[in-house]
């Protein structure tokens, strides 16, 4: 906002009263004479209804057509589209399910363990692992309830659980003339609560043969829904390098910098040019991977307390600099990371000629990253990852953090007021799902320092 030519207030901090109000966004665009709206990677970025509203208002939605968003937004419908296109999918239910008996029938066919997932899920919510039949009933009830409360849609489906899974995604790009390419893969297996915290490109797991095949399949998947613009095809891969379609993100991804650093592309600029009708200025054969890039998502969260949000005011801040370092951030000394939005502070990315050099540069960048104030960050957690033998060897999967991260008991547990504040922030985050346009729970209370006010124990007792 500080770099923008114009800034328009669209409402109070709670997203449900501002950034999730279609008419307020459209009115702001009209007031500034905007011809197009770029939704970023949150809020309305994967909301077909908003995309249609933008077009109806006579502006361009910088993203895929609403039909593609609809096709890929429903996970079960997306599986069907991908199967029809010949894209490999994880074995599971052919349609949505409603009862425990239906889940048990599918589980008996494909075998335990299984994943029960919300059909309209996203952001790691509405999904649970079931190891055996004895846990099935409780998990089904939990997923159905969470899906209804988080997404307004209680439908769910079942997939076979892939042991030691790697989460690999492929960046795709398409223009309005039907030209579609892939921009290679990103390794996204370092996750907590099914949400990525470290990404890199290339993947240390993917072989040249696997890379070529995944790229081919990703392009086929994008063409199946007549995709336009930037999108991501996400895959799960097993230890034998078999890979399966997981979902498609119909937007630019948080981790797009690592792709830009190894390909030399400006994906956001391409989004704007393609939305204006331009043809892709390159062919698939023109794209090459050069070097290695790693990105760490820097959050205001407390890893020692289970990665719960720990926002607050930033007092001092110094970003790392130097060769190969890129830092995408919107904070500054005096800024407040609030409880109303995702607590990400910055996307810290580095490039190196090799994976070893990229990791060394990330270590230096993390050491130089200085931030202090009322908040807690995950900087030390990232420093730990960058030195872990399994990460350095590329020997990890999506269970890495759960298996290896064993911090000392959180200091917050000895501080009742801080613990109360953390619980409230975690509750607010759990009820917020920006990426699919659902409205988060609204916060109430004093406008001045709402974080501190909500964190007071006496308020909890009322």
């Amino acid at each position: 906002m500080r770099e923008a030519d114009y800034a328009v207030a669209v409402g109070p901090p709670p997203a449900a009263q501002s950034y999730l109000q279609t008419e307020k966004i459209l009115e702001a665009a009209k007031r500034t004479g905007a011809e197009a709206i770029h939704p970023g990677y949150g809020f309305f970025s994967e909301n077909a209804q908003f995309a249609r509203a933008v077009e109806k208002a006579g502006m361009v939605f910088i993203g895929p057509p609403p039909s593609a968003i609809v096709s890929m937004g429903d996970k079960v419908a997306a599986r069907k589209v991908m199967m029809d296109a010949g894209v490999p999918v994880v074995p599971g239910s052919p349609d949505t399910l409603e009862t425990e008996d239906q889940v048990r029938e599918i589980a008996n066919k494909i075998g335990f363990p299984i994943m029960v997932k919300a059909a309209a899920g996203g952001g790691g919510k509405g999904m649970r692992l079931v190891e055996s039949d004895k846990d099935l009933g409780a998990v089904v009830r939990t997923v159905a309830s969470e899906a209804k409360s988080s997404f307004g849609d209680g439908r769910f489906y079942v997939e076979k659980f892939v042991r030691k899974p790697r989460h690999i995604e492929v960046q795709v790009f398409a223009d309005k003339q039907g030209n579609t390419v892939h921009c290679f893969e990103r390794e996204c297996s370092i996750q907590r609560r099914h949400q990525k915290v470290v990404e890199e490109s290339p993947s240390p797991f993917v072989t040249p043969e696997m890379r070529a095949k995944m790229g081919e399949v990703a392009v086929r998947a994008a063409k199946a829904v007549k995709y336009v613009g930037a999108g991501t095809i996400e895959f799960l891969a097993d230890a034998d390098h078999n890979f399966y379609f997981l979902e498609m993100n119909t937007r630019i991804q948080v981790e797009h910098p690592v792709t830009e650093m190894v390909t030399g592309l400006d994906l956001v600029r391409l989004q704007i040019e393609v939305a204006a009708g331009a043809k892709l200025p390159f062919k698939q054969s023109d794209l090459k991977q050069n070097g290695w890039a790693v990105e760490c998502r820097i959050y205001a969260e407390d890893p020692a307390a289970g990665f719960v949000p720990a926002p607050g005011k930033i007092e001092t801040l110094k970003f790392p600099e130097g060769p190969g370092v890129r830092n995408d951030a919107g904070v500054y000394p005096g800024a407040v990371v609030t409880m109303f939005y995702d607590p990400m502070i910055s996307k810290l990315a580095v490039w190196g000629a090799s994976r070893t050099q990229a990791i060394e540069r990330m270590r230096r960048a993390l050491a130089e990253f200085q931030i202090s104030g009322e908040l807690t960050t995950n900087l030390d957690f990232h420093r730990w990852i960058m030195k872990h033998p399994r990460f350095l060897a590329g020997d990890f999967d999506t269970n890495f953090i759960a298996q290896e991260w064993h911090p000392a008991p959180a200091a917050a547990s000895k501080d009742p007021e801080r613990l109360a504040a953390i619980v409230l922030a975690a509750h607010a985050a759990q009820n917020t799902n920006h990426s699919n346009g659902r409205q988060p729970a609204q916060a109430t209370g004093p406008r001045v320092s709402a974080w501190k006010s909500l964190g007071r124990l006496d308020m909890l007792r009322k």
Side-chain angles (χ1 to χ4, degrees):
M1 184 180 74
R2 301 174 81 196
E3 300 293 332
D5 294 325
Y6 303 97
V8 180
V10 293
Q17 301 172 34
S18 52
Y19 293 103
L20 288 174
Q21 292 288 327
T22 298
E23 290 306 317
K24 290 186 177 182
I25 302 300
L26 296 180
E27 177 60 28
K30 292 174 183 176
R31 284 174 57 189
T32 57
E35 298 176 349
I37 294 179
H38 192 304
Y41 43 69
F43 298 112
F44 284 134
S45 62
E46 294 185 284
N47 188 296
Q49 186 176 353
F50 178 74
R52 293 192 187 99
V54 171
E55 294 177 352
K56 186 177 180 179
M59 291 174 280
V60 175
F61 178 75
I62 302 178
S67 59
I69 299 175
V70 171
S71 295
M72 294 293 99
D74 186 302
K75 303 301 184 289
V76 176
R79 280 171 57 88
K80 291 180 179 178
V81 171
M82 293 300 103
M83 287 188 285
D84 291 342
V87 174
V89 301
V90 180
S93 55
D95 212 330
T96 54
L97 307 174
E98 297 179 355
T99 68
E100 178 183 336
D101 288 340
Q102 290 175 326
V103 174
R104 183 171 286 106
E105 182 180 353
I106 297 295
N108 289 335
K109 289 180 180 179
I110 64 178
F112 287 98
I114 61 171
M115 291 292 290
V116 182
K117 298 183 175 183
K125 298 179 182 178
M127 54 193 296
R128 293 289 189 280
L129 171 66
V130 185
E131 291 280 5
S132 65
D133 188 86
K134 68 181 179 64
D135 304 318
L136 193 147
V139 168
V140 169
R141 290 189 293 273
T142 298
V143 170
S145 175
E146 189 173 276
K148 185 67 175 177
S149 63
S150 296
F151 312 113
D153 185 343
R155 296 175 305 140
F156 55 88
Y157 66 104
V158 168
E159 283 183 346
K160 176 71 175 176
F161 178 70
V162 178
R163 293 286 188 185
K164 299 187 69 175
R166 303 286 290 231
H167 188 150
I168 312 292
E169 62 186 27
V170 176
Q171 177 74 60
V172 293
F173 218 105
D175 60 26
K176 295 181 179 179
Q177 290 75 34
N179 301 301
T180 307
V181 299
H182 70 83
C183 307
F184 309 106
E185 85 285 358
R186 294 186 288 255
E187 170 67 67
C188 303
S189 298
I190 305 295
Q191 306 177 358
R192 86 283 192 267
R193 297 196 306 271
H194 304 291
Q195 293 181 310
K196 311 160 194 171
V197 289
V198 176
E199 300 94 7
E200 59 183 303
S201 184
S203 164
F205 176 77
V206 174
T207 65
E209 295 76 18
M210 184 180 179
R211 178 173 297 114
K213 184 62 175 177
M214 291 183 81
E216 175 190 328
V217 169
V219 168
R220 192 190 312 158
K223 287 185 174 181
V225 293
K226 296 180 173 58
Y227 201 78
V228 174
T232 303
I233 309 296
E234 301 199 355
F235 297 98
L236 279 184
D238 63 24
D240 297 320
H241 291 83
N242 299 307
F243 61 90
Y244 308 95
F245 172 81
L246 181 63
E247 64 179 350
M248 182 177 192
N249 292 129
T250 53
R251 54 180 166 82
I252 195 76
Q253 291 279 87
V254 173
E255 58 273 21
H256 75 273
V258 296
T259 294
E260 294 183 336
M261 295 177 95
V262 297
T263 62
L265 300 174
D266 184 334
L267 295 178
V268 176
R269 176 170 181 161
L270 279 173
Q271 279 188 294
I272 297 170
E273 291 174 345
V274 163
K279 179 181 178 181
L280 284 178
F282 48 77
K283 303 186 296 293
Q284 185 68 64
S285 58
D286 297 325
L287 299 179
K288 308 294 181 185
Q289 287 173 304
N290 176 38
W292 212 285
V294 179
E295 177 180 297
C296 290
R297 300 191 189 189
I298 311 303
Y299 283 100
E301 66 180 15
D302 191 344
F307 299 96
V308 295
K313 184 177 181 180
I314 297 173
E315 300 291 351
T316 62
L317 178 65
K318 182 180 182 299
F319 290 131
E321 300 176 348
V325 176
R326 168 177 171 174
N327 186 59
D328 293 6
V331 296
Y332 48 87
V336 177
V337 180
T338 76
M339 63 183 296
F340 298 107
Y341 309 108
D342 186 287
M344 188 165 64
I345 297 169
S346 81
K347 301 181 297 181
L348 179 62
V350 300
W351 179 90
S354 64
R355 186 170 189 262
T356 298
Q357 186 182 58
I359 292 173
E360 289 175 348
R361 283 182 169 173
M362 180 58 79
R363 286 181 181 175
R364 175 180 59 79
L366 289 168
E368 293 177 0
F369 202 124
Q370 298 177 24
I371 184 168
S372 66
E374 300 170 357
L375 73 176
T376 299
T377 75
N378 63 349
L379 279 168
D380 284 341
F381 170 72
H382 281 294
R383 292 163 184 150
W384 169 81
I385 290 177
M386 291 299 129
K387 295 179 180 179
H388 197 285
R390 282 184 60 190
F391 178 77
L392 298 179
D395 177 25
F396 53 84
D397 54 48
T398 58
N399 300 306
F400 171 79
I401 292 176
Q403 292 170 348
E404 302 292 343
W405 176 246
H406 305 296
S413 63
K414 300 178 182 178
D415 182 343
E417 291 195 12
R418 178 170 170 74
L419 180 59
I422 287 174
V423 170
L424 281 167
H427 177 74
Q430 182 67 22
N431 286 282
T432 302
N433 190 347
H434 298 154
S435 64
N436 67 4
R438 300 290 178 187
Q439 294 189 356
Q442 296 185 24
T444 60
R447 291 178 62 93
V448 179
S449 191
W451 167 249
K452 288 184 178 178
S453 299
L454 287 170
R456 292 174 183 163
L457 286 176
D458 59 342
M459 291 188 68
L460 287 176
R461 297 190 184 105
K462 291 179 180 179

